Amino acid sequence: MDAQPTSLIEASRVQGTNVFNAAGEKLGAVHDLMIDKRTGQSIYAVVSFGGFLGLGEDYFPIPWAKLKYDAALSGYVTDITPNVLEGAPAYAAGAEPRWGDRAYEEELHRFYGAAPYWANPIVL
Amino acid sequence: MDAQPTSLIEASRVQGTNVFNAAGEKLGAVHDLMIDKRTGQSIYAVVSFGGFLGLGEDYFPIPWAKLKYDAALSGYVTDITPNVLEGAPAYAAGAEPRWGDRAYEEELHRFYGAAPYWANPIVL
């Protein structure tokens, strides 16, 4: 991973960054990031697939490991398929999940086959 | 480092988080975070010390390693002293630094004695 200084973005401006599938087709956009206040690591990108698949304006918290930044696209690429998204955990605006609930987050990581960040801490 | 799920915060809500000195006295507040789009890691907290030391509303990019989250204070504690802050790199609103300029970021890290994140990449 090549962490160049040019890859920096303000937290306040990350909203709206596009999310693409492996074919480079736009799926949705970043609504927000969930950041671990202690480590500073982004844990989830909360993605809106508005309109796509009739998913409306629901927000999908997606583990960071499922997204890869593509400088040419100026956005994130994910290998998550429409089939997977249809059954994915999501919430409506104003109905934020229980971020402090370990069971909820365990389910979220299990769904995407991602290693929980608290079991595999970021090495700084 | 104990990364509990409860330590998550929305990127859009991190603005205004207080910054304290080692004695627990408020120095300023987070204006924004600079996040590495590729790794998702917060690289700088951009801190405003408005009024403090007559520093006005300037923004100070502070390497993440210089801040430690304190759950009891619901904010960040830093050991940066007023003397150091007086000479620290800062910018005014509307005069964002050249984030793509390696020399600028090297100077920033050197000033605070922090290891450059591109020389010591985050292990994910």
Side-chain angles (χ1 to χ4, degrees), chain B:
Chain B
M1 190 163 297
D2 185 24
Q4 300 297 323
T6 49
S7 63
L8 297 183
I9 189 171
E10 291 91 342
S12 60
R13 292 185 56 217
V14 76
Q15 189 170 36
T17 304
N18 286 332
V19 177
F20 302 90
N21 65 15
E25 297 161 337
K26 181 181 171 181
L27 296 178
V30 173
H31 168 67
D32 214 336
L33 299 182
M34 297 304 303
I35 296 175
D36 188 320
K37 287 183 281 193
R38 303 177 201 227
T39 63
Q41 176 64 41
S42 301
I43 303 298
Y44 306 105
V46 180
V47 178
S48 169
F49 300 97
F52 183 68
L53 297 174
L55 293 172
E57 288 298 335
D58 279 358
Y59 301 125
F60 292 70
I62 295 179
W64 189 260
K66 300 299 290 180
L67 300 163
K68 184 170 165 48
Y69 190 74
D70 185 312
L73 290 170
S74 295
Y76 293 95
V77 173
T78 184
D79 62 359
I80 301 174
T81 63
N83 275 352
V84 169
L85 274 183
E86 283 179 19
Y91 58 93
E96 279 67 33
R98 301 151 294 168
W99 294 115
D101 182 345
R102 174 75 52 103
Y104 172 79
E105 293 205 68
E106 280 177 351
E107 172 55 27
L108 204 47
H109 281 73
R110 194 158 40 227
F111 182 86
Y112 288 106
Y117 59 101
W118 56 90
N120 190 14
I122 307 297
V123 178
L124 291 178

Side-chain angles (χ1 to χ4, degrees), chain A:
Chain A
M1 189 163 299
D2 186 24
Q4 300 298 324
T6 49
S7 63
L8 297 182
I9 190 172
E10 290 91 342
S12 60
R13 292 185 55 218
V14 75
Q15 191 170 33
T17 304
N18 286 332
V19 177
F20 302 90
N21 65 15
E25 296 161 337
K26 181 179 170 180
L27 295 178
V30 173
H31 168 68
D32 214 336
L33 299 182
M34 297 305 302
I35 297 175
D36 189 321
K37 287 183 281 195
R38 302 177 202 225
T39 62
Q41 177 64 42
S42 301
I43 303 299
Y44 306 106
V46 181
V47 178
S48 169
F49 300 98
F52 182 68
L53 296 173
L55 292 171
E57 288 299 335
D58 279 359
Y59 301 125
F60 292 71
I62 296 180
W64 189 259
K66 299 299 290 180
L67 300 164
K68 184 168 165 50
Y69 190 73
D70 185 311
L73 290 170
S74 295
Y76 293 96
V77 173
T78 184
D79 62 0
I80 301 173
T81 63
N83 274 354
V84 170
L85 275 183
E86 283 179 19
Y91 58 94
E96 279 68 32
R98 301 151 294 167
W99 294 115
D101 182 345
R102 175 74 52 103
Y104 172 80
E105 294 204 68
E106 281 177 350
E107 172 56 27
L108 205 47
H109 281 73
R110 193 159 40 228
F111 181 85
Y112 288 106
Y117 59 100
W118 57 89
N120 190 15
I122 308 296
V123 177
L124 292 178

